[in-house]
């Protein structure tokens, strides 16, 4: 059974929430039935330590950072997954975008 939809999860600083949501929605994400721009988000703390040769947009390489971030979730049609992820990467402020893509299984009623 192949997935017809995915759940896309990404982590982003609050100021980049709207630009990343706009980008993934424009690329085809966020539709559930007759509803558009569907997403969910919650706050948390992200941590990272940039290695040699990195150029973090927050903090500096070689120092562990703790950043207030949002975890954002939305649905993505399988046929749009690659372009949605590319749109997320282009809109996201981080050098390396942390995201997850999960296949969803639709159960018949």
């Amino acid at each position: 059974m192949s997935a017809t939809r995915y759940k896309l999860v990404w982590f982003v600083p609050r100021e980049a929430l709207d630009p990343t949501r706009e980008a993934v929605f424009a690329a085809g994400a966020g539709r559930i039935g007759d509803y558009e721009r569907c997403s969910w988000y919650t706050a948390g703390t992200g941590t990272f330590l940039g290695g040699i040769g990195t150029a973090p947009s927050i903090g500096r390489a070689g120092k562990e950072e703790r950043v207030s971030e949002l975890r954002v979730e939305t649905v993505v049609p399988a046929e749009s997954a690659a372009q949605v992820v590319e749109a997320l990467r282009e809109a996201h402020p981080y050098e390396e975008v942390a995201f997850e893509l999960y296949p969803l299984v639709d159960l018949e009623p």
Side-chain angles (χ1 to χ4, degrees):
M1 172 187 309
S2 64
T4 59
R5 292 185 311 155
Y6 291 91
K7 178 178 280 190
L8 174 63
V9 177
W10 71 96
F11 304 87
V12 65
R14 185 171 296 278
E15 62 273 10
L17 172 65
D18 289 337
T20 56
R21 286 179 71 243
E22 292 297 331
V24 299
F25 293 154
R31 180 179 285 278
I32 300 174
D34 291 333
Y35 293 85
E36 296 181 33
R37 302 175 58 83
C38 300
S39 69
W40 182 85
Y41 61 89
T42 190
T45 302
T47 65
F48 63 90
L49 188 147
I52 296 171
T54 62
S57 61
I58 297 172
R60 60 180 165 72
K63 179 181 180 287
E64 184 176 15
E65 300 294 335
R66 289 181 173 82
V67 180
S68 177
E69 294 179 323
L70 299 173
R71 173 190 170 107
V72 189
E73 303 183 21
T74 193
V75 293
V76 178
E79 64 272 10
S80 302
Q83 64 207 35
V84 168
V85 168
E86 182 58 29
L88 172 63
R89 285 183 167 133
E90 289 177 10
H92 203 287
Y94 289 174
E95 185 176 28
E96 295 287 342
V97 180
F99 72 92
E100 302 160 355
L101 194 62
Y102 301 100
L104 299 176
V105 177
D106 291 322
L107 298 177
E108 296 297 321

